[in-house]
Amino acid sequence: MRLRPVAVLLSAALAVTGTACGAKSSRQDDRGAAATAGPLDPGTKVTITVGCQPPKTAKSDRAAWDADVQAFQAKYPNITIVSKDAFPCIVPETFQAKLAGGQMEDVYYVYYTDAQKIIQNRQAADITPYVGALKRLKDVNPQFVKALQDGKGRVYGVPRKGYTTGLVYNRKLFTRAGLDPDSPPRTWAEVREAAKKIAALGPGYVGYGEYSAGNTGGWHFTAELYGRGGDVVTPDGRKAAFNSPAGRAVLQTLKDMRWTDDSMGSKQLLRWEDLMRMMGSGKLGMMVGAPDVAVETFLNFGAKIEDIGATTLPEARASLLGGDAYMINPKATPDQIKAAMLWLDFRNLTPGQGQFDYRRFKSDGRPVGVPENLLWGANASGSQERALRRQYATVPVDNFAPYENGSPAVAPKVEPPNAQAVYAILDGAMSAVLTRKDANIDQLLADAEKKVNALLARSN
């Protein structure tokens, strides 16, 4: 995902960004882009609302955000940041309604999943003329930039976080089960064998956990399908492509682990917080996920972070690219967009400060050293971020070395169009193989294929 040599793509993306300045953004008048893309006048007072302030319950994260707002406003006294908190920052069931109702902040938080639909619906400002203020955007993995562009290369968002999917595992349980935690599974056959040994530790131990509800089942199906070289949709985005040998292999492996190996536990229909809770309890051996699972389970679900490790997805030919970003309300004025660029550069795109202020994280007791945000490529910004992360590390960084060292060899792959709706359909296939011993995989894939084809036909 982040160290892959894709500098050519980034150069092309930024070349389009630079030459697109003649196009008008959502709020530009007949003066054209050149009249609005310059720096913000220090004498101009601007107020912007910014979403996804950490909730009060996340005390250290909230304090760090508030400290950044204070430092930013000291640097730019003409800009006022009005923070808006919510947890979670996005509720999929209400997100589009909030967008359509015009209730979004001036600077609002999005998943990459939703970006293309937002762009198509003209619910985000075209910020192409303004991204020159983002000094390190050129160092961001271009796959993240591309996820926030339209087909003509115009930019509609600023990346905040990036990762690819891997395998998260409990190193302590590996040791107890006679497995080597420094040599995690590299194939799905090895995952099966490891899961059986962990489940054999006794009642309550689950060798491998999987999602199958709340759109998370379809999300993981996609990740595992990509890993096997499959696709969710055809290249033109018009037809389903998962009814394939790779799709069948994903479901067959899960069905075998659930019913033949009995290594996945009897409780199914799990969603995001369920696996987090299980990993936090120390009773779950493995799950598909990114290294930020270690931080999340430590902060909110009682895990011992030194027990957690991560590696790349088994047999990975590709890996699901994930993360989040900020987009700008199309009602924002040019001055508000300029102020937003300064804030996002300050908070999200500068190693050593904002979300990359590892020195502060260490003093606050937050885990440091987990490669949870691999936003950068193999360049100056990436080298600086990695050096700072190791300098202030509070966790055993070698526990995550299999993931960080292996990721450059795994091609990143974006989510399918209409991802959340597709995931909801694929939840059905995932839940069926995990709750019904007689589930017919071919029929499940065929039924899901018809539904996704109908969905894509309505969307295109």
Side-chain angles (χ1 to χ4, degrees), residues 183-444:
S183 183
R186 302 176 68 177
T187 68
W188 282 104
E190 291 177 357
V191 169
R192 284 188 66 180
E193 289 304 309
K196 286 190 288 187
K197 291 179 179 180
I198 292 168
L201 291 174
Y205 287 94
V206 174
Y208 178 84
E210 187 55 276
Y211 293 131
S212 56
N215 298 11
T216 57
W219 172 43
H220 269 200
F221 175 89
T222 298
E224 292 156 33
L225 179 71
Y226 283 178
R228 292 178 182 269
D231 287 295
V232 176
V233 299
T234 54
D236 62 7
R238 295 182 177 274
K239 293 286 185 179
F242 54 78
N243 188 1
S244 64
R248 283 188 285 279
V250 171
L251 295 183
Q252 188 65 57
T253 295
L254 292 174
K255 186 178 181 182
D256 290 344
M257 292 173 71
R258 170 71 175 94
W259 300 105
T260 303
D261 301 345
D262 193 22
S263 63
M264 296 183 67
S266 59
K267 183 181 178 181
Q268 297 300 325
L269 302 179
L270 305 176
R271 56 178 67 210
W272 182 83
E273 62 274 12
D274 296 314
L275 286 189
M276 296 297 110
R277 192 173 294 110
M278 291 167 66
M279 187 62 73
S281 73
K283 294 294 185 71
L284 175 62
M286 294 172 287
M287 62 176 282
V288 165
D292 62 347
V293 168
V295 177
E296 180 66 35
T297 54
F298 170 76
L299 291 176
N300 297 312
F301 295 93
K304 294 182 178 179
I305 201 164
E306 63 271 19
D307 291 344
I308 309 298
T311 187
T312 51
L313 201 65
E315 304 175 36
R317 301 181 189 177
S319 185
L320 178 61
L321 184 97
D324 50 58
Y326 276 95
M327 302 181 95
I328 310 300
N329 196 309
K331 298 179 180 179
T333 67
D335 284 338
Q336 286 179 312
I337 297 176
K338 293 175 186 178
M341 295 301 100
L342 293 173
W343 164 251
L344 294 173
D345 189 69
F346 179 92
R347 169 74 182 173
N348 294 334
L349 293 180
T350 305
Q353 69 182 42
Q355 69 164 339
F356 296 109
D357 190 345
Y358 297 129
R359 180 178 181 179
R360 177 175 64 193
F361 290 163
K362 182 175 181 177
S363 66
D364 289 345
R366 192 181 192 278
V368 178
V370 179
E372 57 180 311
N373 187 1
L374 302 182
L375 193 63
W376 310 105
N379 46 50
S381 296
S383 296
Q384 184 181 359
E385 184 274 328
R386 286 188 292 277
L388 289 169
R389 175 156 40 91
R390 283 187 169 269
Q391 178 181 349
Y392 294 106
T394 62
V395 305
V397 294
D398 288 344
N399 289 4
F400 305 93
Y403 173 88
E404 188 162 16
N405 295 339
S407 292
V410 181
K413 197 166 183 176
V414 297
E415 294 180 285
N418 300 286
Q420 291 298 333
V422 171
Y423 293 167
I425 293 170
L426 291 172
D427 268 1
M430 293 287 277
S431 62
V433 297
L434 296 175
T435 58
R436 295 187 354 234
K437 192 173 184 178
D438 62 349
N440 185 315
I441 290 174
D442 288 338
Q443 188 62 53
L444 290 169

Side-chain angles (χ1 to χ4, degrees), residues 22-73:
K24 294 179 182 179
S25 74
S26 304
R27 292 284 296 178
Q28 288 165 12
D29 58 25
D30 291 336
R31 293 174 298 171
T36 58
L40 180 65
D41 185 340
T44 301
K45 298 288 186 181
V46 183
T47 298
I48 54 173
T49 56
V50 181
C52 206
Q53 176 191 30
K56 292 180 180 178
T57 52
K59 294 181 179 179
S60 62
D61 287 346
R62 174 76 165 229
W65 173 288
D66 291 346
D68 284 339
V69 169
Q70 185 176 4
F72 176 80
Q73 292 181 154

